[in-house]
Amino acid sequence: GAVVSQHPSWVICKSGTSVKIECRSLDFQATTMFWYRQFPKQSLMLMATSNEGSKATYEQGVEKDKFLINHASLTLSTLTVTSAHPEDSSFYICSARRGLGEKLFFGSGTQLSVL
Amino acid sequence: DAKTTQPTSMDCAEGRAANLPCNHSTISGNEYVYWYRQIHSQGPQYIIHGLKNNETNEMASLIITEDRKSSTLILPHATLRDTAVYYCIVFTGYSTLTFGKGTMLLVSP
């Protein structure tokens, strides 16, 4: 299957700092990438959908100014958590697909801990 | 996307077949049945998907009822590494993938 690489696997940061998470499709071009968040013992919740070269579409309740998404190329999307606070601590997961009608492949996730 | 209903948890003995059921009674004609699994602290892994015919790959088999209102994922010889949360999702491929609560499968020695 296709490979989606996510980096870093885990990050610890101080409250008020910003953290960038990268998501790369290694062996295919991803027209669309998705960002999910997962709290302990809960299911994945979609945060936003990004298409290459256009602005991301955020789900209701997700602050677009806090969670900045950039999908500058067909193989790279980044999620930046700005001015992170302890309540932003979570497991963040990206996914990518080649195109409409295609299945999604997921990264290995990033565990963010904000102190 | 249509909702699915799965048991919260299931147990299976190592080496035996694991049969995970899923109800999707409101599935639309253009929606596929997808199965993903998530091992603790990892991203979801694609397992299999189908529209109306039964499907088999190196990981599992998918049995979809004729009326498409339910399906069963079969892991023919479960191993300890198959312990995970299994998600059944109906999805057109043109919308977003929405995860429910899934089934926690525990494979025991």
Side-chain angles (χ1 to χ4, degrees):
Chain A
V3 178
V4 175
S5 174
Q6 189 172 339
H7 179 80
S9 298
W10 56 270
V11 57
I12 302 172
C13 70
K14 293 182 178 179
S15 186
T17 62
S18 294
V19 174
K20 180 184 283 188
I21 302 169
E22 290 190 350
C23 180
R24 294 180 183 273
S25 55
L26 297 185
D27 53 358
F28 67 100
Q29 293 187 324
T31 58
T32 308
M33 289 186 171
F34 304 86
W35 287 94
Y36 291 81
R37 179 168 55 181
Q38 184 175 35
F39 293 107
K41 299 189 184 301
Q42 294 187 22
S43 190
L44 286 78
M45 295 296 296
L46 180 66
M47 298 176 66
T49 301
S50 72
N51 292 294
E52 184 265 339
S54 61
K55 289 184 178 180
T57 302
Y58 291 81
E59 295 298 302
Q60 191 172 9
V62 178
E63 301 174 58
K64 61 180 181 181
D65 294 330
K66 182 169 185 62
F67 299 99
L68 302 179
I69 293 171
N70 184 285
H71 192 167
S73 78
L74 285 171
T75 59
L76 174 64
S77 177
T78 60
L79 168 67
T80 301
V81 183
T82 63
S83 186
H85 291 284
E87 56 265 31
D88 298 323
S89 297
S90 187
F91 191 54
Y92 293 86
I93 309 165
C94 72
S95 68
R97 69 181 180 197
R98 287 186 179 90
L100 288 174
E102 299 276 344
K103 56 182 172 280
L104 271 66
F105 296 97
F106 288 81
S108 54
T110 298
Q111 181 63 52
L112 170 64
S113 297
V114 184
L115 305 177
Chain B
D1 289 356
K3 287 185 66 176
T4 62
T5 304
Q6 298 177 254
T8 302
S9 63
M10 293 184 66
D11 293 327
C12 179
E14 189 178 20
R16 304 298 292 265
N19 297 286
L20 290 85
C22 179
N23 286 321
H24 31 80
S25 59
T26 59
I27 191 171
S28 300
N30 62 344
E31 289 179 314
Y32 289 77
V33 180
Y34 276 76
W35 284 83
Y36 283 81
R37 72 180 182 184
Q38 186 179 24
I39 295 170
H40 183 62
S41 298
Q42 296 183 24
Q45 177 189 23
Y46 166 80
I47 301 173
I48 199 168
H49 75 282
L51 184 63
K52 52 184 177 181
N53 296 324
N54 297 337
E55 303 287 345
T56 295
N57 63 20
E58 65 279 4
M59 289 183 70
S61 294
L62 174 60
I63 308 298
I64 302 174
T65 58
E66 193 169 342
D67 63 7
R68 302 211 322 125
K69 292 185 177 182
S70 65
S71 61
T72 301
L73 177 74
I74 302 172
L75 307 179
H77 304 288
T79 70
L80 299 179
R81 290 179 295 179
D82 292 322
T83 291
V85 178
Y86 286 76
Y87 297 98
C88 168
I89 305 168
V90 290
F91 178 55
T92 63
Y94 293 84
S95 54
T96 57
L97 201 65
T98 302
F99 287 81
K101 296 183 178 179
T103 297
M104 174 65 218
L105 175 68
L106 176 62
V107 182
S108 303

